Amino acid sequence: MSKGIKKVTIYKQDKWNMLNVEVHGTRIVVRVISDQWGEDNFEFLSRPALMHWAEERFSVERFQGTEEERLQILEAFKEV
């Protein structure tokens, strides 16, 4: 019997800028919504693949917020 979809909000700045993760059994779907780029979806088949993507996307060099915000986002991904 399916447990359904687990949804996790990684961050939400407003209704136009957010990142959500949905766990569909063994598939993990990341939905990035931004006022600049619209909606992007990324699909992963494992948590290590998800974490690799998250660490690249939210690397120190690329992230434009504070280090505390960056670490909170990465911690939220670890809890998925």
Side-chain angles (χ1 to χ4, degrees):
M1 188 167 191
S2 175
K3 292 182 181 180
I5 300 170
K6 175 184 173 187
K7 295 183 180 182
V8 179
T9 299
I10 301 297
Y11 68 79
K12 182 173 182 173
Q13 296 167 340
D14 53 41
K15 68 180 185 176
W16 303 111
N17 295 283
M18 65 184 80
L19 190 150
N20 297 309
V21 176
E22 296 176 1
V23 180
H24 301 257
T26 58
R27 275 184 2 174
I28 303 166
V29 178
V30 175
R31 298 189 194 285
V32 182
I33 301 168
S34 75
D35 57 2
Q36 220 173 10
W37 303 106
E39 182 175 331
D40 276 332
N41 294 314
F42 302 90
E43 187 172 325
F44 303 94
L45 299 177
S46 70
R47 281 181 168 65
L50 170 68
M51 287 309 300
H52 177 74
W53 176 85
E55 288 166 2
E56 289 289 317
R57 182 170 179 112
F58 296 100
S59 67
V60 173
E61 299 81 24
R62 295 179 68 192
F63 188 68
Q64 296 183 346
T66 67
E67 179 65 5
E68 183 180 349
E69 290 170 323
R70 189 182 80 81
L71 293 175
Q72 286 175 344
I73 288 170
L74 290 175
E75 190 59 36
F77 273 108
K78 289 176 186 172
E79 293 175 9
V80 169

